[in-house]
Short mmCIF file of all heavy atoms in Angstrom, two decimals:
data_model
loop_
_atom_site.label_atom_id
_atom_site.label_comp_id
_atom_site.label_asym_id
_atom_site.label_seq_id
_atom_site.Cartn_x
_atom_site.Cartn_y
_atom_site.Cartn_z
N ALA A 1 0.79 -1.23 -0.01
CA ALA A 1 0.04 -0.05 -0.04
C ALA A 1 0.82 1.31 -0.02
O ALA A 1 0.42 2.24 -0.55
CB ALA A 1 -0.86 -0.04 1.22
N THR A 2 2.01 1.20 0.59
CA THR A 2 2.87 2.46 0.72
C THR A 2 3.79 2.65 -0.40
O THR A 2 3.93 3.83 -0.91
CB THR A 2 3.72 2.28 2.00
OG1 THR A 2 2.92 1.99 3.14
CG2 THR A 2 4.49 3.54 2.30
N HIS A 3 4.40 1.60 -0.95
CA HIS A 3 5.38 1.71 -2.01
C HIS A 3 5.09 0.82 -3.28
O HIS A 3 5.84 0.93 -4.20
CB HIS A 3 6.80 1.37 -1.51
CG HIS A 3 7.24 2.27 -0.42
ND1 HIS A 3 7.73 3.54 -0.78
CD2 HIS A 3 7.38 2.17 0.87
CE1 HIS A 3 8.08 4.09 0.32
NE2 HIS A 3 7.84 3.36 1.34
N GLY A 4 4.06 0.04 -3.30
CA GLY A 4 3.60 -0.72 -4.40
C GLY A 4 4.10 -2.14 -4.40
O GLY A 4 5.10 -2.49 -3.71
N VAL A 5 3.41 -2.99 -5.06
CA VAL A 5 3.63 -4.46 -5.02
C VAL A 5 4.94 -4.73 -5.65
O VAL A 5 5.69 -5.56 -5.19
CB VAL A 5 2.51 -5.14 -5.83
CG1 VAL A 5 2.83 -6.70 -5.97
CG2 VAL A 5 1.09 -5.01 -5.11
N ALA A 6 5.38 -4.06 -6.69
CA ALA A 6 6.63 -4.32 -7.31
C ALA A 6 7.79 -4.02 -6.41
O ALA A 6 8.81 -4.75 -6.37
CB ALA A 6 6.76 -3.48 -8.61
N ALA A 7 7.76 -2.93 -5.70
CA ALA A 7 8.76 -2.57 -4.76
C ALA A 7 8.92 -3.62 -3.57
O ALA A 7 9.93 -4.01 -3.21
CB ALA A 7 8.59 -1.24 -4.12
N ARG A 8 7.77 -4.01 -3.14
CA ARG A 8 7.67 -5.05 -2.04
C ARG A 8 8.31 -6.39 -2.59
O ARG A 8 9.16 -6.95 -1.89
CB ARG A 8 6.29 -5.26 -1.48
CG ARG A 8 6.20 -6.21 -0.28
CD ARG A 8 6.01 -7.59 -0.62
NE ARG A 8 4.67 -7.69 -1.30
CZ ARG A 8 4.27 -8.79 -2.01
NH1 ARG A 8 5.22 -9.79 -2.12
NH2 ARG A 8 3.16 -8.89 -2.60
N ARG A 9 7.88 -6.80 -3.74
CA ARG A 9 8.43 -7.99 -4.31
C ARG A 9 9.89 -7.93 -4.44
O ARG A 9 10.71 -8.93 -4.17
CB ARG A 9 7.73 -8.31 -5.68
CG ARG A 9 6.33 -8.84 -5.50
CD ARG A 9 5.69 -9.12 -6.90
NE ARG A 9 4.35 -9.75 -6.73
CZ ARG A 9 3.42 -9.78 -7.73
NH1 ARG A 9 3.66 -9.33 -8.91
NH2 ARG A 9 2.23 -10.38 -7.49
N ALA A 10 10.42 -6.84 -4.99
CA ALA A 10 11.86 -6.68 -5.19
C ALA A 10 12.62 -6.76 -3.90
O ALA A 10 13.58 -7.41 -3.71
CB ALA A 10 12.15 -5.38 -5.84
N LEU A 11 12.07 -6.07 -2.85
CA LEU A 11 12.65 -6.10 -1.48
C LEU A 11 12.75 -7.61 -0.94
O LEU A 11 13.72 -7.98 -0.45
CB LEU A 11 11.91 -5.26 -0.50
CG LEU A 11 12.41 -5.01 0.83
CD1 LEU A 11 13.75 -4.26 0.85
CD2 LEU A 11 11.38 -4.43 1.77
N PHE A 12 11.70 -8.34 -1.15
CA PHE A 12 11.53 -9.70 -0.63
C PHE A 12 12.61 -10.55 -1.42
O PHE A 12 13.31 -11.27 -0.86
CB PHE A 12 10.17 -10.23 -0.79
CG PHE A 12 9.25 -9.95 0.38
CD1 PHE A 12 9.34 -8.70 1.08
CD2 PHE A 12 8.37 -10.83 0.74
CE1 PHE A 12 8.50 -8.36 2.07
CE2 PHE A 12 7.49 -10.48 1.86
CZ PHE A 12 7.55 -9.33 2.51
N LEU A 13 12.54 -10.43 -2.80
CA LEU A 13 13.44 -11.21 -3.60
C LEU A 13 14.84 -11.04 -3.35
O LEU A 13 15.73 -12.01 -3.29
CB LEU A 13 13.08 -11.04 -5.06
CG LEU A 13 11.87 -11.69 -5.58
CD1 LEU A 13 11.55 -11.25 -7.01
CD2 LEU A 13 12.03 -13.26 -5.55
N GLU A 14 15.25 -9.71 -3.25
CA GLU A 14 16.59 -9.46 -2.87
C GLU A 14 17.21 -10.02 -1.60
O GLU A 14 18.37 -10.10 -1.34
CB GLU A 14 16.83 -7.89 -2.90
CG GLU A 14 16.67 -7.24 -4.28
CD GLU A 14 16.50 -5.79 -4.28
OE1 GLU A 14 16.78 -5.18 -3.16
OE2 GLU A 14 16.09 -5.24 -5.22
N ASN A 15 16.33 -10.39 -0.72
CA ASN A 15 16.56 -10.91 0.67
C ASN A 15 16.23 -12.37 0.70
O ASN A 15 15.97 -12.92 1.80
CB ASN A 15 16.04 -10.03 1.67
CG ASN A 15 16.81 -8.63 1.68
OD1 ASN A 15 17.80 -8.59 2.18
ND2 ASN A 15 16.10 -7.61 1.18
N GLY A 16 16.01 -13.01 -0.42
CA GLY A 16 15.83 -14.47 -0.36
C GLY A 16 14.41 -15.06 -0.18
O GLY A 16 14.25 -16.15 0.11
N VAL A 17 13.36 -14.12 -0.33
CA VAL A 17 12.00 -14.59 -0.06
C VAL A 17 11.31 -14.49 -1.42
O VAL A 17 11.09 -13.35 -1.96
CB VAL A 17 11.28 -13.74 1.06
CG1 VAL A 17 9.79 -14.10 1.14
CG2 VAL A 17 12.05 -13.89 2.31
N LEU A 18 10.80 -15.60 -1.94
CA LEU A 18 10.06 -15.63 -3.21
C LEU A 18 8.74 -15.03 -3.14
O LEU A 18 8.33 -14.43 -4.14
CB LEU A 18 10.10 -17.01 -3.75
CG LEU A 18 11.45 -17.70 -4.05
CD1 LEU A 18 11.30 -19.11 -4.53
CD2 LEU A 18 12.35 -16.84 -4.94
N ASP A 19 8.02 -15.25 -2.08
CA ASP A 19 6.62 -14.76 -1.92
C ASP A 19 6.26 -14.67 -0.49
O ASP A 19 6.96 -15.10 0.40
CB ASP A 19 5.71 -15.81 -2.61
CG ASP A 19 4.47 -15.19 -3.08
OD1 ASP A 19 4.15 -14.03 -2.68
OD2 ASP A 19 3.65 -15.78 -3.75
N VAL A 20 5.14 -14.11 -0.18
CA VAL A 20 4.69 -13.87 1.14
C VAL A 20 4.40 -15.29 1.84
O VAL A 20 3.79 -16.14 1.13
CB VAL A 20 3.36 -13.05 1.17
CG1 VAL A 20 2.89 -12.93 2.65
CG2 VAL A 20 3.58 -11.69 0.54
N PRO A 21 4.89 -15.62 2.92
CA PRO A 21 4.66 -16.91 3.54
C PRO A 21 3.20 -17.24 3.65
O PRO A 21 2.39 -16.34 3.78
CB PRO A 21 5.33 -16.80 4.90
CG PRO A 21 6.30 -15.66 4.81
CD PRO A 21 5.67 -14.70 3.81
N ASP A 22 2.91 -18.52 3.65
CA ASP A 22 1.50 -18.96 3.68
C ASP A 22 1.01 -19.14 5.15
O ASP A 22 -0.23 -19.33 5.41
CB ASP A 22 1.17 -20.12 2.99
CG ASP A 22 2.00 -21.43 3.50
OD1 ASP A 22 2.55 -21.32 4.59
OD2 ASP A 22 2.02 -22.40 2.82
N GLY A 23 1.90 -18.93 6.14
CA GLY A 23 1.50 -18.97 7.56
C GLY A 23 1.40 -20.32 8.18
O GLY A 23 0.95 -20.49 9.25
N SER A 24 1.74 -21.35 7.36
CA SER A 24 1.56 -22.73 7.85
C SER A 24 2.67 -23.27 8.75
O SER A 24 2.48 -24.22 9.38
CB SER A 24 1.46 -23.70 6.61
OG SER A 24 2.68 -23.64 5.83
N SER A 25 3.84 -22.52 8.80
CA SER A 25 4.97 -22.99 9.62
C SER A 25 5.81 -21.84 9.93
O SER A 25 5.81 -20.78 9.34
CB SER A 25 5.70 -24.14 8.98
OG SER A 25 6.28 -23.61 7.71
N MET A 26 6.67 -22.02 10.91
CA MET A 26 7.73 -21.09 11.24
C MET A 26 8.73 -20.91 10.04
O MET A 26 8.82 -21.80 9.23
CB MET A 26 8.50 -21.44 12.46
CG MET A 26 7.68 -21.77 13.71
SD MET A 26 6.91 -20.25 14.32
CE MET A 26 8.40 -19.45 15.14
N ILE A 27 9.34 -19.82 9.92
CA ILE A 27 10.25 -19.50 8.81
C ILE A 27 11.61 -19.15 9.26
O ILE A 27 11.87 -18.79 10.42
CB ILE A 27 9.67 -18.43 7.88
CG1 ILE A 27 9.43 -17.20 8.50
CG2 ILE A 27 8.39 -18.99 7.23
CD1 ILE A 27 8.97 -16.08 7.67
N ASP A 28 12.63 -19.17 8.35
CA ASP A 28 14.05 -18.77 8.66
C ASP A 28 14.09 -17.33 9.12
O ASP A 28 13.60 -16.41 8.38
CB ASP A 28 14.84 -19.04 7.42
CG ASP A 28 16.24 -18.81 7.60
OD1 ASP A 28 16.72 -18.32 8.76
OD2 ASP A 28 17.06 -19.04 6.65
N GLU A 29 14.65 -17.11 10.28
CA GLU A 29 14.74 -15.77 10.73
C GLU A 29 15.66 -14.81 9.87
O GLU A 29 15.47 -13.67 9.83
CB GLU A 29 15.26 -15.64 12.18
CG GLU A 29 16.77 -15.82 12.32
CD GLU A 29 17.23 -15.59 13.77
OE1 GLU A 29 16.49 -15.68 14.68
OE2 GLU A 29 18.43 -15.33 13.83
N GLY A 30 16.59 -15.41 9.19
CA GLY A 30 17.57 -14.65 8.43
C GLY A 30 17.00 -13.71 7.38
O GLY A 30 17.24 -12.49 7.48
N PRO A 31 16.15 -14.24 6.49
CA PRO A 31 15.59 -13.40 5.46
C PRO A 31 14.68 -12.31 6.11
O PRO A 31 14.47 -11.15 5.55
CB PRO A 31 14.88 -14.30 4.51
CG PRO A 31 15.64 -15.59 4.65
CD PRO A 31 15.96 -15.68 6.08
N VAL A 32 13.94 -12.78 7.16
CA VAL A 32 12.99 -11.85 7.85
C VAL A 32 13.78 -10.61 8.35
O VAL A 32 13.38 -9.47 8.12
CB VAL A 32 12.20 -12.56 8.99
CG1 VAL A 32 11.35 -11.57 9.72
CG2 VAL A 32 11.42 -13.73 8.41
N ALA A 33 14.79 -10.95 9.22
CA ALA A 33 15.61 -9.80 9.63
C ALA A 33 16.21 -8.95 8.49
O ALA A 33 16.25 -7.77 8.68
CB ALA A 33 16.70 -10.30 10.59
N ALA A 34 16.70 -9.62 7.45
CA ALA A 34 17.26 -8.97 6.38
C ALA A 34 16.29 -7.99 5.70
O ALA A 34 16.54 -6.77 5.34
CB ALA A 34 17.86 -9.85 5.36
N ILE A 35 15.01 -8.48 5.63
CA ILE A 35 13.98 -7.61 4.95
C ILE A 35 13.62 -6.39 5.76
O ILE A 35 13.54 -5.27 5.41
CB ILE A 35 12.64 -8.44 4.70
CG1 ILE A 35 12.94 -9.38 3.50
CG2 ILE A 35 11.46 -7.53 4.47
CD1 ILE A 35 11.91 -10.43 3.25
N HIS A 36 13.56 -6.60 7.16
CA HIS A 36 13.24 -5.41 7.96
C HIS A 36 14.43 -4.44 7.95
O HIS A 36 14.19 -3.25 7.92
CB HIS A 36 12.96 -5.92 9.42
CG HIS A 36 11.70 -6.45 9.67
ND1 HIS A 36 10.69 -5.63 10.34
CD2 HIS A 36 10.95 -7.61 9.29
CE1 HIS A 36 9.45 -6.30 10.41
NE2 HIS A 36 9.69 -7.43 9.81
N GLN A 37 15.64 -4.92 7.94
CA GLN A 37 16.76 -3.92 7.93
C GLN A 37 16.83 -3.26 6.57
O GLN A 37 17.10 -2.09 6.47
CB GLN A 37 18.01 -4.74 8.20
CG GLN A 37 18.15 -5.18 9.64
CD GLN A 37 19.55 -5.76 9.95
OE1 GLN A 37 20.51 -5.50 9.27
NE2 GLN A 37 19.63 -6.46 11.17
N ALA A 38 16.65 -4.09 5.47
CA ALA A 38 16.62 -3.39 4.10
C ALA A 38 15.53 -2.37 3.89
O ALA A 38 15.72 -1.39 3.35
CB ALA A 38 16.53 -4.57 3.10
N MET A 39 14.38 -2.65 4.56
CA MET A 39 13.26 -1.74 4.53
C MET A 39 13.65 -0.48 5.17
O MET A 39 13.40 0.67 4.61
CB MET A 39 12.04 -2.33 5.27
CG MET A 39 10.85 -1.37 5.30
SD MET A 39 9.44 -2.05 6.19
CE MET A 39 9.99 -2.04 7.86
N ARG A 40 14.36 -0.47 6.22
CA ARG A 40 14.87 0.79 6.96
C ARG A 40 15.81 1.50 5.98
O ARG A 40 15.81 2.74 6.08
CB ARG A 40 15.42 0.42 8.34
CG ARG A 40 14.40 -0.02 9.29
CD ARG A 40 14.97 0.01 10.70
NE ARG A 40 15.80 -1.20 11.05
CZ ARG A 40 15.37 -2.31 11.47
NH1 ARG A 40 14.03 -2.52 11.66
NH2 ARG A 40 16.19 -3.38 11.61
N ALA A 41 16.66 0.82 5.40
CA ALA A 41 17.66 1.38 4.54
C ALA A 41 17.05 2.06 3.32
O ALA A 41 17.44 3.11 2.85
CB ALA A 41 18.80 0.45 4.16
N ARG A 42 16.20 1.24 2.68
CA ARG A 42 15.58 1.76 1.39
C ARG A 42 14.49 2.73 1.55
O ARG A 42 14.36 3.64 0.67
CB ARG A 42 15.02 0.49 0.63
CG ARG A 42 14.52 0.83 -0.74
CD ARG A 42 14.16 -0.39 -1.55
NE ARG A 42 15.46 -1.18 -1.71
CZ ARG A 42 15.53 -2.31 -2.41
NH1 ARG A 42 14.45 -2.83 -2.98
NH2 ARG A 42 16.59 -2.99 -2.46
#
């Protein structure tokens, strides 16, 4: 909503996440932390 789907997809892909998780299980903390940090930088 803030920066557009394309910008979010690029942010996720650059940090190793292909798509939004489906919520069925825990996920690797590394890409999650990287996305939050990259969001602050970008």
